Amino acid sequence: KLIMKSNKVIAIYEHLYLLIRSLDISDRKCKLIYLPAHRFFFECQHKNNNDFMVGFVGRFSYENGSDLFIKVAECVYHYDPLIRFLYVGDMPQNMHHPPNVITTGFIEHNKVPSYLSQMDVFLSLKRSKGIPVAVIEALACGVPVIGINITDQILSGVIIKINNYNDEKEIILRVCQQLLKLKNEKEKLKQLS
């Protein structure tokens, strides 16, 4: 709604620009700046069709909820070891993680969409409130998001928000439940995409 009302839209990455253009916004109204990404990065390159992939993009930090991502992966592993978790970014070398977690190491930003396109679900577990750029990028690539501390009401219809952040164990359990549920609800997953 905001995009339609805006006089000028500036997309900072090509995948966001393509998303805006897909809404029939004229190229006179929408401009691309910053880092380009080629269309082939949107095509799934590394995932098998039967895989269920849960992803995260970002720097490993407490604020980003990276540790929560690993704990969710551990929780899910006990129930369904076939669900894979893709951590796009650097993780500390001595960091223990379960066998269902794949790490990429540093990835140039213009290549991030190729990894986002492999994900069935994106997790945003930031401890601070707001709208992380990674959430916008995931949505631009058609990836459903499960998130905590996302404050924007506009995104309410397109993400699964985990509210009532009381304690870490509760969040891990609730995210784990949502993931297990979504894996078995292919139609809901398709609607969210």
Side-chain angles (χ1 to χ4, degrees):
K1 291 177 184 177
L2 287 174
I3 288 168
M4 298 299 192
K5 290 180 181 179
S6 299
N7 293 326
K8 181 66 95 181
V9 179
I10 297 174
I12 59 171
Y13 303 117
E14 189 171 8
H15 52 286
L16 299 177
Y17 175 76
L18 295 172
L19 175 72
I20 300 300
R21 295 288 286 125
S22 72
L23 299 172
D24 292 327
I25 305 291
S26 76
D27 60 349
R28 290 192 342 248
K29 186 175 176 179
C30 182
K31 296 295 175 202
L32 170 66
I33 61 166
Y34 202 47
L35 293 173
H38 301 291
R39 284 182 190 268
F40 75 86
F41 285 127
F42 295 103
E43 297 170 9
C44 187
Q45 298 172 20
H46 309 284
K47 181 183 168 210
N48 297 325
N49 287 336
N50 296 330
D51 289 344
F52 187 81
M53 186 81 71
V54 179
F56 176 91
V57 175
R59 169 178 59 84
F60 197 92
S61 70
Y62 179 81
E63 299 79 25
N64 279 343
S66 309
D67 60 316
L68 293 176
F69 179 81
I70 300 300
K71 290 173 184 174
V72 167
E74 287 173 346
C75 179
V76 168
Y77 188 72
H78 293 297
Y79 297 100
D80 189 342
L82 298 178
I83 295 177
R84 295 176 27 193
F85 286 73
L86 179 62
Y87 188 96
V88 180
D90 279 329
M91 190 180 286
Q93 286 185 346
N94 298 335
M95 180 74 191
H96 167 74
H97 57 78
N100 60 340
V101 175
I102 302 159
T103 61
T104 64
F106 174 78
I107 298 294
E108 292 177 20
H109 195 85
N110 64 341
K111 293 183 177 153
V112 169
S114 71
Y115 291 91
L116 285 167
S117 71
Q118 297 173 59
M119 300 172 190
D120 292 292
V121 177
F122 181 86
L123 293 186
S124 175
L125 303 173
K126 274 183 114 57
R127 288 183 165 93
S128 56
K129 294 186 182 284
I131 311 173
V133 171
V135 167
I136 296 167
E137 292 174 329
L139 293 171
C141 290
V143 181
V145 174
I146 296 176
I148 63 172
N149 289 321
I150 296 176
T151 56
D152 197 293
Q153 295 302 314
I154 295 170
L155 298 178
S156 294
V158 293
I159 67 167
I160 297 172
K161 289 198 315 189
I162 306 287
N163 294 321
N164 303 325
Y165 179 74
N166 294 329
D167 65 40
E168 192 175 284
K169 287 182 181 177
E170 179 186 340
I171 283 297
I172 292 165
L173 184 62
R174 291 177 68 195
V175 171
C176 181
Q177 289 169 338
Q178 280 293 337
L179 290 172
L180 293 168
K181 187 175 169 187
L182 279 176
K183 182 187 178 196
N184 297 316
E185 292 182 2
K186 302 281 185 206
E187 209 45 51
K188 179 165 184 172
L189 200 58
K190 196 183 285 185
Q191 284 176 341
L192 287 168
S193 296

